[in-house]
Amino acid sequence: MEVFDLKTMQKTDIYENTIVALGTFDGCHYAHQRVLGEAFYMAKAKGVKSLVYTFYQSPKSSLDKSIGNVFTFEEKVKAFQKVGIDYLAVDNFLDVKDMSANDFFEKILMDKLKAVGASCGYNYKFGNKRGGDATLLSTLFWEKVGGRVMVSDKIEINGQTVSSTLLRSLVENGNVEALYDLGTRYSIYSRVEEGKKLGRTIGFPTINQEIPQEKIIPCKGVYITECEIGEDVYPAISNVGVRPSVETNSEINVETHIIGYDGVLYGSYVRVNFYKFLRNEQKFESLEELKNQIFADAEKAKIYFK
């Protein structure tokens, strides 16, 4: 386990009492934000430090590498910093999955993190074979240190329980717009790779990026997006897929046309935020057909952001 000061992201040790927010926090949706907020305000009220305990990879991703995450580790860090949490403790799930619930409480929460209270979701589980739950956690804290556990209730929006599983399902089905109703978004932040520069020849220059390895891959197709370049934000359209009109390989990447921008970004790191699915990926019979479709997609993006 590694512990960081969230203000500086320097490694540190814990020498003072803490209130710990517990969870995987993949996507940091509204339910996660409630758990983080409870820990922050409990810590303020008790005059101690707030801390997040989580994993580099979600338990599901740790056990099955084919399962991607909605957020990268860096994106989770930014979400924790936004709340104002003091410390971050990060573990590898495989290192603790066989610990009993009591051992996890004693060795991790008590000994290493100096926890005197915690917050978690209604469905939080811990310990070997998910043997511990929010009720056991509350009992242990009360018996050991007289501490409280704030357990957040289930949140339902549009008839669906807000969860990381729901987020992953929405992304896989291309319904990225629904993520904004749940308090989060899907984005990629990666290096701009040099491509074949075909877009420039038809009047629509594009940037090419790989999807970070730990991220879930959205449904193939064209999306309305926005592109963050430094402090500036531009409307854009992005194709997730294999570019069937111009490529023969099967490697999935993201190709983005940034509306109103004509600079050179090769080697730069750029964030692309996904807003709405427009259409499925398709193969065009000519570059003229492709050009006309890109023009139509770009016009829809302009209207969307207006």
Side-chain angles (χ1 to χ4, degrees):
M1 180 173 66
E2 295 181 303
V3 180
F4 300 90
D5 182 322
L6 268 171
K7 293 182 177 63
T8 64
M9 283 308 293
Q10 297 295 312
K11 289 184 181 180
T12 186
D13 292 311
I14 302 297
Y15 299 105
E16 52 195 322
N17 290 342
T18 66
I19 300 292
V20 181
L22 296 160
T24 58
F25 302 105
D26 184 25
C28 284
H29 48 64
Y30 282 138
H32 291 152
Q33 292 167 30
R34 180 177 290 180
V35 172
L36 294 167
E38 292 283 11
F40 176 82
Y41 287 111
M42 282 177 66
K44 289 291 185 185
K46 290 183 70 70
V48 300
K49 296 294 184 180
S50 56
L51 183 147
V52 179
Y53 175 87
T54 191
F55 303 112
Y56 283 107
Q57 295 286 319
S58 69
K60 289 183 178 179
S61 298
S62 299
L63 296 171
D64 184 351
K65 298 300 182 184
S66 67
I67 298 176
N69 300 289
V70 180
F71 271 17
T72 63
F73 173 67
E74 290 76 14
E75 287 169 333
K76 289 203 290 188
V77 168
K78 288 184 180 295
F80 302 151
Q81 291 172 328
K82 187 175 181 179
V83 174
I85 301 290
D86 295 305
Y87 296 114
L88 167 64
V90 195
D91 237 335
N92 290 307
F93 174 70
L94 298 180
D95 292 341
V96 300
K97 74 179 184 66
D98 294 325
M99 295 179 70
S100 69
N102 282 328
D103 280 351
F104 177 82
F105 180 82
E106 293 286 349
K107 295 177 180 180
I108 301 295
L109 297 182
M110 294 285 97
D111 295 346
K112 292 187 176 181
L113 302 183
K114 307 293 188 293
V116 293
S119 66
C120 65
Y122 72 98
N123 57 350
Y124 179 71
K125 304 291 186 194
F126 64 102
N128 184 36
K129 297 181 180 179
R130 298 165 57 86
D133 58 12
T135 299
L136 176 61
L137 190 68
S138 297
T139 300
L140 291 172
F141 265 110
W142 181 252
E143 290 179 348
K144 298 292 183 179
V145 292
R148 294 181 61 201
V149 175
M150 295 297 293
V151 181
S152 295
D153 294 332
K154 176 168 61 176
I155 296 178
E156 289 190 355
I157 295 178
N158 299 325
Q160 294 181 299
T161 300
V162 179
S163 68
S164 295
T165 299
L166 174 60
L167 298 189
R168 285 192 293 270
S169 175
L170 291 171
V171 173
E172 287 178 330
N173 288 288
N175 192 6
V176 293
E177 194 169 26
L179 269 65
Y180 288 83
D181 292 335
L182 309 180
T184 189
R185 68 184 182 187
Y186 179 86
S187 66
I188 65 163
Y189 179 74
S190 62
R191 187 175 184 270
V192 176
E193 306 291 342
E194 191 162 353
K196 294 185 177 180
K197 304 176 184 176
L198 178 63
R200 290 189 177 274
T201 68
I202 60 174
F204 291 97
T206 60
I207 61 171
N208 296 285
Q209 296 170 282
E210 292 183 356
I211 298 174
Q213 187 174 6
E214 68 267 40
K215 292 276 273 193
I216 191 170
I217 298 175
C219 174
K220 292 180 184 177
V222 175
Y223 295 80
I224 294 174
T225 58
E226 69 176 8
C227 190
E228 297 180 15
I229 305 173
E231 298 296 320
D232 298 319
V233 180
Y234 296 85
I237 51 172
S238 299
N239 181 80
V240 176
V242 296
R243 297 182 290 176
S245 299
V246 297
E247 295 281 9
T248 57
N249 64 44
S250 59
E251 183 177 342
I252 294 177
N253 77 342
V254 178
E255 184 177 17
T256 300
H257 168 61
I258 308 169
I259 300 169
Y261 183 83
D262 195 32
V264 177
L265 293 169
Y266 300 133
S268 302
Y269 279 79
V270 169
R271 182 173 299 280
V272 175
N273 302 313
F274 285 66
Y275 277 85
K276 184 177 182 179
F277 183 85
L278 273 183
R279 60 177 176 83
N280 291 320
E281 188 178 41
Q282 63 189 97
K283 184 172 183 177
F284 297 94
E285 297 302 322
S286 68
L287 289 180
E288 188 64 24
E289 281 188 35
L290 175 62
K291 176 181 177 179
N292 291 338
Q293 186 61 62
I294 295 175
F295 177 83
D297 293 339
E299 289 302 305
K300 289 179 181 177
K302 292 176 185 178
I303 293 170
Y304 181 88
F305 284 112
K306 283 182 181 178

